Amino acid sequence: MLRRNDGWLGFPVVLAFSLLSLVAAAAPPVAPPALSWKDALYNPKPAEGDVLLPMPCGGAMAFRRLVTEGDGALGDTAVEVGSDAADLGYAEHRYLAHLAGAFAGDYQGQRYLLVGKYEVTTLQYGAVIAEAQGQPCPQPDAGGRLPKTGIGWHDAVNFAHHYSLWLRTHAESIPDCADPTEVCLPRVDGEPGFARLPTEVEWEYAARGGDRVTPAEFRELQYPMPDGLERHSWFNTTAGGQVRPIGVLGANPAGLHDVLGNVEEMTLEPFRLHRLDRPHGQAGGYVVRGGSIHSAAQDLRSSLRREVPYYDERGVVGTADTGLRLLLSAPVLTSNRRIADVQAAWERLGRDTSKPQDPAPPSKRLSDQGFDDPVLELSALARVAGEPAMRQRLERLRGVVAGNAERLYEQRARSAREALRFGGLLCQKLADEGQNVVVLEQRLALCVKGSGTKHPRCEGLTEARARDLEVLRGNIGIYSDSIVRTAQTYPQDLGVLNEQVQGLSGEIAQRGYAALAVFPQRFHAQVLDYAKRGLVEREAWFNDCKELRSTDRSR
């Protein structure tokens, strides 16, 4: 018999484990699935920032990152979706929703969504289903670039399900997307991401351009198309009744192709009508978004949503102009640490996170001194309340107070960001005006030197200089007032400005204007300086802004 400390065939257990460890260490790392398809079949228009995931049969699928605001376990971003058209209110009524990206930490420290860059193609669909059914791989020919159509909602969900299973099976050999490599698989707490249909809010956020457009552009019926709708969408007067291959036309600001037109795209939730302040209670068929080759130009809008029944007299409903686009997601509660983070974030709701936090109330003992924070005070009272009914009422009251306070803090944060945005724009305007005056003064000096002060051209320049200086002085006054008023608006809440200037800088950078983030940053620094010293320094503030533009142009 083997002793308890012996391993297989009499080797000591420790020695056996050591040998196995050496063998494992010597083994080469498992290579990720190889790509054999041509780029044109899965990413015909490569762009910086593309994320590629492998697929069965040597294929791949391209995704784009869309940043969402908000940090922490319960941080999310408010998104205004729908339209203002009264006659379409029953289906497209405007409402405020919230969303948060599943992934974080490996992309500029921000949360982000991963949305399919193109509609799922016949080749991609065929590769996954063939793998799942143990069938030969489909031939990767040019016809494989056409979007997959003619399937029902359950088929689309089944496709995402089998693709997720395949990714899970090969996860050990696919590097995390935090690593620079050809193909990757995103993870959260080491948990691999999975594929699914997007929710309606996720789809509309992506279709409108996400974080890559301004708030005003986001609310337009279509994302910005300076070169015209025909360069971005296949619809009834351009498609000739034929579904077109992916990636032929231009992308939206988020880098997504064919979100409007070509084929309608399925979403995850069932269709609901709208009431004025909430969705109607009945859940119906599935929702398709974006319009198709049969849509008129005026019907191609980001808010368009249409109900399709799951079944009809022929069975499953699947049409020749309906397809799908995938989104990558991840579980929410991935670990005990994540649960603890969520619990801590929940406890902070309704409390001012820009200020130092009071200690949590004692569990069974009420201190002699109450809490300044009403949420903490109600929590303490509820924990020591003897009667269950009183404890429940106090807990309910705590929830009401915390919810109202949380909404106020969110509104204050949005107001702080807009104040910083406005101050940054004013600072940039002052910088430009200051440079224009300098150029005008140089032209005037050259004119006087060559022609004398009485020359009509020189007199005209003198008058223009006087007008510009008067306008500049007025704008310096407005800018100075903005600094003072911002400091006065947040006298005890400067922490919220510190939080929002970082978020605003990231927002500006996401839209491709990172160099302009210095202007709200400078405005923020001037507000803090005024709050500390109380000195109005108009000329110094103006020169600070002008210096930023001089530095920018010297690069």
Side-chain angles (χ1 to χ4, degrees), residues 8-55:
W8 179 60
L9 292 181
F11 282 102
V13 172
V14 173
L15 178 58
F17 281 174
S18 298
L19 290 173
L20 288 173
S21 299
L22 288 173
V23 171
V30 181
L35 300 185
S36 59
W37 294 356
K38 294 180 179 179
D39 292 354
L41 294 173
Y42 61 87
N43 194 14
K45 289 192 175 177
E48 183 179 358
D50 289 346
V51 176
L52 299 181
L53 266 68
M55 298 192 76

Side-chain angles (χ1 to χ4, degrees), residues 17 26 35 41 229 243 257 325 354 358 494 507 551:
F17 281 174
L35 300 185
L41 294 173
L229 180 63
V243 171
H257 292 261
R325 184 186 305 265
S354 69
D358 296 325
L494 294 175
E507 175 189 327
T551 303

Side-chain angles (χ1 to χ4, degrees), residues 109-299:
Q110 298 170 309
R111 301 183 69 87
Y112 60 90
L113 302 167
L114 276 169
V115 183
K117 183 176 178 178
Y118 310 96
E119 292 157 339
V120 172
T121 66
T122 58
L123 180 58
Q124 291 169 329
Y125 186 90
V128 169
I129 300 304
E131 173 73 18
Q133 297 178 350
Q135 300 295 321
C137 288
Q139 184 66 29
D141 54 26
R145 275 185 62 181
L146 290 171
K148 177 61 180 178
T149 61
I151 58 173
W153 183 86
H154 295 91
D155 297 315
V157 171
N158 189 55
F159 164 74
H161 163 65
H162 284 299
Y163 184 30
S164 298
L165 287 177
W166 185 87
L167 288 170
R168 187 88 187 191
T169 301
H170 293 80
E172 185 178 347
S173 65
I174 308 173
D176 193 293
C177 289
D179 302 325
T181 186
E182 186 176 19
V183 294
C184 63
L185 177 61
R187 292 166 171 81
V188 176
D189 283 343
E191 188 73 14
F194 59 87
R196 61 169 170 80
L197 295 177
T199 67
E200 286 204 69
V201 174
E202 290 167 341
W203 187 95
E204 190 164 334
Y205 180 73
R208 289 179 179 271
D211 59 296
R212 300 304 179 96
V213 296
T214 68
E217 291 171 337
F218 189 89
R219 288 301 305 148
E220 296 291 339
L221 294 178
Q222 300 166 346
Y223 61 83
M225 303 179 192
D227 47 352
L229 180 63
E230 294 79 5
R231 298 295 184 91
H232 288 257
S233 304
W234 296 110
F235 52 101
N236 62 354
T237 60
T238 62
Q242 298 294 320
V243 171
R244 301 308 178 101
I246 62 168
V248 174
L249 299 178
N252 80 347
L256 307 179
H257 292 261
D258 299 315
V259 286
L260 299 180
N262 209 23
V263 298
E264 294 182 303
E265 299 175 10
M266 305 181 204
T267 59
L268 189 62
E269 309 105 319
F271 179 86
R272 292 177 184 269
L273 294 169
H274 282 294
R275 291 177 61 94
L276 289 177
D277 57 345
R278 61 175 174 81
H280 184 258
Q282 180 184 355
Y286 62 92
V287 180
V288 293
R289 306 293 302 260
S292 74
I293 57 173
H294 298 123
S295 301
Q298 62 268 25
D299 291 331

Side-chain angles (χ1 to χ4, degrees), residues 21 88 113 117 149 176 190 225 231 249 251 308 313 316 327-328 355 386 399 410 414 425 441 448 503 519 532:
S21 299
L88 298 171
L113 302 167
K117 183 176 178 178
T149 61
D176 193 293
M225 303 179 192
R231 298 295 184 91
L249 299 178
V308 177
E313 66 278 2
V316 173
L327 176 139
L328 294 179
K355 295 181 179 179
E410 289 179 350
R414 287 195 295 272
L425 289 173
E441 288 176 339
V448 170
F519 293 102
K532 179 180 180 181

Side-chain angles (χ1 to χ4, degrees), residues 71-76 100-102 111 188-189 330-351 353 398 406:
D71 54 11
L74 290 179
D76 56 15
R111 301 183 69 87
V188 176
D189 283 343
V332 175
L333 301 177
T334 50
S335 64
N336 289 334
R337 180 182 63 81
R338 172 70 172 171
I339 294 174
D341 290 344
V342 171
Q343 179 67 34
W346 171 261
E347 295 292 339
R348 288 194 299 271
L349 287 178
R351 302 173 65 188
T353 57
R398 177 199 179 278
E406 185 68 17

